[in-house]
Amino acid sequence: MLRRIDYGDYDLIITFFTPDSGKVSVIAKSAKRSKKRFAGILELFSVLQVVFSRGRGLPVLQEATLNQPFIKIRTDIKKTAYASYWAELINEWIEEGEAQVRLYELFLYVLGELDIGNIPEPVLSILFQMKFMSISGFYPNLTHCNLCGIEMENMKKNRIMFDLEGGGIVCEKCVSPLLSTHDPGRRGPVRRIYISKGTIKQLLWFENGNLEKSGRVRFSRQSLREGLEFSEAFVPYHLGKMPRSLAFLRQIRRDA
Ligand SMILES: [Zn+2]
């Protein structure tokens, strides 16, 4: 369950993420008033088996059975903040009725691990975002200079500039002309981030490696910070929208 919003005094509009039909929004009648109607199981991030009927307007939820409640996510504000951010990215990106099996499996995996709690939350979030980028087709170029093509391994400096707009890393030789280019049509500064080589290697590992192994990758504190900074800048940039849940997540992280 990706999203739930109140609809009038009695009903809820619920958006489910399904393996074969992508995003599906349904109306759950009397779900707000009567706890009995759906036995209080219509909670965010839970995995349900649902039956709904199509007709005019929104499909109507008929039955719901709980498969996995992920209670530990909902009772922990930091876990809730991470799951809300991932859910908002999915909700923003996918269309109603469009199958997204790989993304579904990814979301199920990170929610499951978030609930269990063995993998640090920032690691899961970087993993989710790297995979999300490659599944949704806007994966960043982290392997060679976006401008001259020299490989990342052959770049001299350890801290490498990532150009958000160009979607790739830029070597030390190409950086200076780029920094001095003045584009009068552009509003605000060029968006760029610096990432060290070690972090880039780990990000690439996440993009290409399998899920279970990726969860066991160990990050240094610096890599965690850089990985979060990079993914939380690049993903919203390419989505063209700042997710509201990201501001909330950052607030929670600061307070923790
Ligand atoms: Zn270059």
Side-chain angles (χ1 to χ4, degrees):
M1 187 166 149
L2 275 186
R3 195 163 175 249
R4 73 176 241 169
I5 44 178
D6 291 349
Y7 188 73
D9 289 334
Y10 306 101
D11 309 336
L12 293 173
I13 290 179
I14 294 174
T15 305
F16 290 108
F17 182 20
T18 70
D20 26 288
S21 308
K23 199 162 80 169
V24 178
S25 295
V26 303
I27 184 158
K29 298 212 163 166
S30 305
K32 242 177 100 183
R33 270 294 167 85
S34 159
K35 282 269 180 271
K36 248 190 287 173
R37 180 72 182 89
F38 290 105
I41 60 172
L42 298 180
E43 299 287 350
L44 277 179
F45 319 124
S46 56
V47 183
L48 303 131
Q49 200 97 41
V50 296
V51 176
F52 54 85
S53 58
R54 290 190 193 270
R56 278 157 54 103
L58 277 183
V60 179
L61 186 66
Q62 303 291 346
E63 285 171 39
T65 322
L66 188 63
N67 280 13
Q68 172 56 265
F70 291 140
I71 287 170
K72 285 185 203 142
I73 298 179
R74 288 204 314 277
T75 51
D76 178 320
I77 191 150
K78 208 183 331 147
K79 288 182 196 285
T80 300
Y82 275 104
S84 303
Y85 173 53
W86 305 335
E88 188 175 351
L89 293 182
I90 292 172
N91 189 52
E92 284 297 329
W93 185 72
I94 62 170
E95 304 283 339
E96 298 264 340
E98 177 191 306
Q100 288 290 346
V101 180
R102 280 179 65 207
L103 189 56
Y104 181 87
E105 283 166 1
L106 171 66
F107 193 39
L108 202 57
Y109 173 78
V110 288
L111 288 178
E113 290 297 335
L114 185 65
D115 190 64
I116 295 168
N118 285 342
I119 302 173
E121 290 128 7
V123 173
L124 278 178
S125 198
I126 296 170
L127 175 64
F128 174 80
Q129 291 175 94
M130 289 308 293
K131 295 274 184 211
F132 174 75
M133 285 185 240
S134 79
I135 292 170
S136 48
F138 47 81
Y139 31 103
N141 165 22
L142 292 167
T143 52
H144 51 271
C145 174
N146 229 13
L147 300 173
C148 73
I150 178 185
E151 281 182 29
M152 184 266 289
E153 300 279 2
N154 297 330
M155 293 182 188
K156 289 197 182 66
K157 286 191 180 159
N158 181 46
R159 276 168 53 82
I160 295 170
M161 191 192 102
F162 184 90
D163 171 23
L164 276 183
E165 203 166 5
I169 52 174
V170 178
C171 78
E172 58 276 2
K173 284 200 192 103
C174 299
V175 159
S176 4
L178 189 74
L179 293 184
S180 59
T181 327
H182 177 65
D183 177 358
R186 194 192 335 255
R187 276 180 227 148
V190 183
R191 296 290 314 276
R192 60 179 72 95
I193 287 170
Y194 289 86
I195 326 173
S196 52
K197 281 185 179 173
T199 306
I200 291 179
K201 284 179 196 155
Q202 288 186 308
L203 293 176
L204 285 171
W205 221 97
F206 268 16
E207 194 180 288
N208 306 311
N210 86 20
L211 278 177
E212 272 87 51
K213 279 187 189 156
S214 300
R216 279 180 251 133
V217 172
R218 284 185 178 261
F219 272 79
S220 67
R221 272 176 99 155
Q222 186 194 359
S223 284
L224 264 191
R225 188 172 34 79
E226 289 181 350
L228 278 182
E229 193 196 354
F230 164 73
S231 52
E232 291 174 3
F234 188 73
V235 172
Y237 186 87
H238 274 263
L239 216 54
K241 194 184 167 188
M242 190 45 131
R244 282 200 296 180
S245 52
L246 182 56
F248 175 64
L249 171 61
R250 285 181 172 153
Q251 181 67 48
I252 297 289
R253 250 184 347 223
R254 261 197 306 271
D255 296 348

